[in-house]
Amino acid sequence: MKRREFLGATAGTVASAACGPGQHSPPLVEFVGPDPERGHHLREGTWREGPVHETIHTEVAIVGGGAAGSAAAWRLRRAGLGDVHLFELEDDVGGTARGGELPRSRHPLGAHYLPTPPPGCPALERLLEELGVILGRDAHGRPEYAPSAIAAAPLERHFGRGRWYEGLYPAAGETADEAAQWARWHAHLRDLDGRRGADGRPLFAIPVAGSSAELRHLDAVSFAAYLDDLGLVSERLRWALDYACRDDYGCTLAQTSAFAGLHHFLARGLEETRGGFLLTWPEGNARLVRGMLERADLGDRLHRGAAVVAVDPHAGELRVHRPADGRRLRVQAKAILWAAPRFVLGRLLVGADPLPAGALTYAPWLVASVDVRTAPRGIGARLAWDNVPLAGPSLGYVVATHGESADARRPGAVLTYYEPLCGDGPAELAAQRLRLLAGDLSTWSDHVVAALAAMHPGIASEISRIAVTRWGHAMIRPVPGLLFGESLARARAPIGRLRPCAADVAGLPLFEEAFYQGCGAALAALADLGRSAPDALADELPA
């Protein structure tokens, strides 16, 4: 079976560790998520030619059913526009916010949480109200969130020197100088927190385009160099900040722009002062995408398993191939919202792409959800939602079942493992991507089990299933010079009737960026069509 298989006794350490007298049978292991073969067909152009079986005329065509495309469809429906078709390459929607399901629980295949929105994001708050995540407002007008959506304590712990510690900063055994550097870093953040530039804008905003021009020059230098200039050289501090960059961006300190690094800590307000929460669900942000598409009410105008193989942006025409039945569609649209990765567009355009090939780089990621019969423990701090090792390339795992109430909790758990495959430049990233996609199920399941076993010896015998997801181009990388440079300006510039609007053209791989890119493109399409947005969110985009 091409996408699902049992590992036999000789298939690798997963099977051998789980076999033996009195032990459970080997786990079922499968690849889930995006199908690399479809991406290869797009790259090679093998689906481009052929007869057209049907022509569709529509006001707006959306390409890509991830967070940005779903937000665009939701926003258009709110404005009263129903003549919208959405085309998604995969058989399931969600992009990197997709979710899956194992017998024990649903789980994320990628993005797994959303911080509560900072002030000034009314459209995002309105969405959360519609989805029942915001239940009401307190006496000061602040949102009140559904307890079931708030990540339960304990939130974080880290593993090192054979035991677990609370939080993500490895404070155990630090010197006085290391403690002083950690304190200086937080004092530096407090100095920047909430400040506005001479142009009246916050220094760091969501979406990032609303940030003041005052510190944009920091985008030209790496986060590592910025810390050097501050004299912050503590390995403990550097590990914590490097972890944050790898977690949000798939980049190391040296690969992340200083502006992007500071944005992570400051755009939503300092964690210790803003009073926000992390919102999460067993399937992660798939819950949000599904909710937006339900409210978009596309019906049969949502085309899953539909590969856009050619784009004429000036004529407003798409050619679509359906791999399942071989049928080909011609789509004539007055507006096209390109909510798929921007680098793919250059391979499909009729005519030249104004964005040079390779101008944007993307981090590959390995994600795996593991169904275990017994929830893991460990010496020290108790099991948390996010569990992170100090050593190795892994970011550790989140517990998809962590939010279950005590009354509903069942034995076992589903652990979702994350690992970005970082690289210094296009050649290294290409090698990492090749390694990721060339590895078979045995290779990657063994890899995941070995990483979990380093934190939890003996866990292999507790595993019943492993669902492995390979994201070849998971995240746009906010490398130095990207956010406010010419490449990104070209990437998001309209081409004829087409508007790119995925998170990658914002430069930061965040749900909020994807959401506001999709909403902004929807409003622009309405304007192009001569239609207004007659609702309470007509002017909702942050400045």
Side-chain angles (χ1 to χ4, degrees):
M1 291 172 282
K2 186 165 65 174
R3 302 209 16 112
R4 181 187 295 259
E5 66 181 62
F6 282 98
L7 296 182
T10 61
T13 61
V14 172
S16 61
C19 291
Q23 293 197 349
H24 298 285
S25 60
L28 175 66
V29 181
E30 58 183 329
F31 279 134
V32 297
D35 184 352
E37 291 184 11
R38 294 188 184 182
H40 295 160
H41 279 293
L42 290 184
R43 182 185 64 194
E44 303 300 328
T46 53
W47 288 338
R48 191 157 185 156
E49 302 299 329
V52 172
H53 300 94
E54 180 183 354
T55 297
I56 295 172
H57 296 273
T58 185
E59 294 275 294
V60 180
I62 301 172
V63 182
S70 301
W74 170 79
R75 190 63 189 83
L76 290 169
R77 170 59 70 175
R78 280 195 59 88
L81 184 64
D83 186 10
V84 177
H85 286 254
L86 190 153
F87 300 89
E88 166 57 44
L89 172 65
E90 302 294 337
D91 294 330
D92 198 7
V93 294
T96 54
R98 282 175 65 174
E101 188 164 4
L102 291 169
R104 174 64 178 78
S105 171
R106 296 186 299 276
H107 59 87
L109 272 62
H112 57 288
Y113 71 95
L114 173 69
T116 51
C121 293
L124 186 50
E125 288 190 356
R126 178 59 61 88
L127 171 67
L128 297 177
E129 288 171 355
E130 290 187 10
L131 300 186
V133 179
I134 293 178
L135 300 179
R137 304 270 170 174
D138 66 14
H140 302 284
R142 294 172 299 205
E144 295 181 326
Y145 291 91
S148 61
I150 297 172
L155 276 181
E156 299 161 333
R157 65 175 181 169
H158 67 274
F159 181 80
R161 298 173 293 279
R163 63 167 292 160
W164 291 96
Y165 300 84
E166 292 183 359
L168 291 182
Y169 175 67
E174 68 180 346
T175 66
D177 180 62
E178 289 172 329
Q181 289 193 47
W182 185 244
R184 282 172 49 209
W185 166 245
H186 279 271
H188 182 63
L189 292 179
R190 286 193 296 273
D191 181 59
L192 295 174
D193 182 37
R195 276 178 43 190
R196 291 183 174 265
D199 52 10
R201 294 185 171 196
L203 296 180
F204 303 93
I206 289 186
V208 66
S211 302
S212 170
E214 189 163 316
L215 294 184
R216 290 188 177 192
H217 63 278
L218 295 179
D219 186 50
V221 299
S222 75
F223 201 13
Y226 182 77
L227 296 172
D228 289 341
D229 289 343
L230 293 176
L232 299 175
V233 296
S234 161
E235 289 187 8
R236 296 171 190 272
L237 181 150
R238 293 271 182 141
W239 177 87
L241 303 194
D242 185 75
Y243 166 82
C245 291
R246 290 186 297 126
D247 185 45
D248 252 17
Y249 307 139
C251 294
T252 65
L253 283 177
Q255 296 158 1
T256 304
S257 93
F259 190 96
L262 290 167
H263 186 277
H264 167 86
F265 293 98
L266 293 165
R268 304 177 182 98
L270 280 181
E271 186 174 328
E272 57 263 37
T273 59
R274 72 183 180 92
F277 305 101
L278 294 181
L279 305 174
T280 189
W281 303 267
E283 66 271 43
N285 289 358
R287 176 74 63 91
L288 300 174
V289 171
R290 185 175 73 243
M292 286 189 288
L293 288 175
E294 286 173 354
R295 281 149 186 80
D297 193 25
L298 294 172
D300 60 4
R301 289 170 284 112
L302 172 56
H303 306 266
R304 294 179 173 88
V308 174
V309 296
V311 181
D312 186 336
H314 299 286
E317 182 172 298
L318 305 173
R319 295 294 179 99
V320 180
H321 173 76
R322 298 198 316 211
D325 58 13
R327 288 183 62 81
R328 298 176 61 81
L329 313 176
R330 177 191 291 113
V331 181
Q332 292 282 351
K334 295 178 182 177
I336 300 171
L337 305 185
W338 186 265
R342 180 59 177 82
F343 78 94
V344 177
L345 180 60
R347 298 170 178 170
L348 309 181
L349 278 174
V350 174
D353 187 351
L355 180 69
L360 309 181
T361 60
Y362 298 78
W365 278 67
L366 172 70
V367 181
S369 286
V370 181
D371 199 329
V372 293
R373 299 180 183 91
T374 304
R377 298 182 182 178
I379 300 171
R382 63 193 176 103
L383 183 66
W385 172 66
D386 195 7
N387 305 267
V388 179
L390 293 180
S394 163
L395 297 177
Y397 63 90
V398 298
V399 182
T401 50
H402 187 66
E404 291 179 344
S405 67
D407 294 338
R409 192 167 296 143
R410 295 182 286 134
V414 172
L415 318 178
T416 302
Y417 171 94
Y418 291 90
E419 182 178 334
L421 279 64
C422 303
D424 277 336
E428 283 191 19
L429 289 168
Q432 292 279 45
R433 194 167 292 115
L434 178 62
R435 170 180 165 239
L436 177 68
L437 298 179
D440 60 15
L441 272 172
S442 177
T443 297
W444 288 121
S445 58
D446 284 357
H447 178 88
V448 171
V449 172
L452 292 176
M455 297 177 273
H456 301 288
I459 197 172
S461 63
E462 297 294 324
I463 296 172
S464 61
R465 291 184 181 230
I466 306 175
V468 179
T469 305
R470 299 169 297 173
W471 296 104
H473 299 82
M475 285 184 167
I476 185 70
R477 300 168 71 247
V479 296
L482 176 73
L483 291 178
F484 307 111
E486 179 62 27
S487 291
L488 206 58
R490 289 188 180 185
R492 60 175 167 255
I495 310 172
R497 301 183 193 179
L498 181 146
R499 291 179 179 275
C501 62
D504 56 355
V505 301
L508 295 179
L510 306 176
F511 179 89
E512 300 99 319
E513 296 291 344
F515 176 80
Y516 276 110
Q517 286 292 321
C519 288
L523 292 175
L526 290 170
D528 291 343
L529 296 171
R531 299 174 64 110
S532 62
D535 60 27
L537 293 179
D539 299 314
E540 77 275 20
L541 295 185

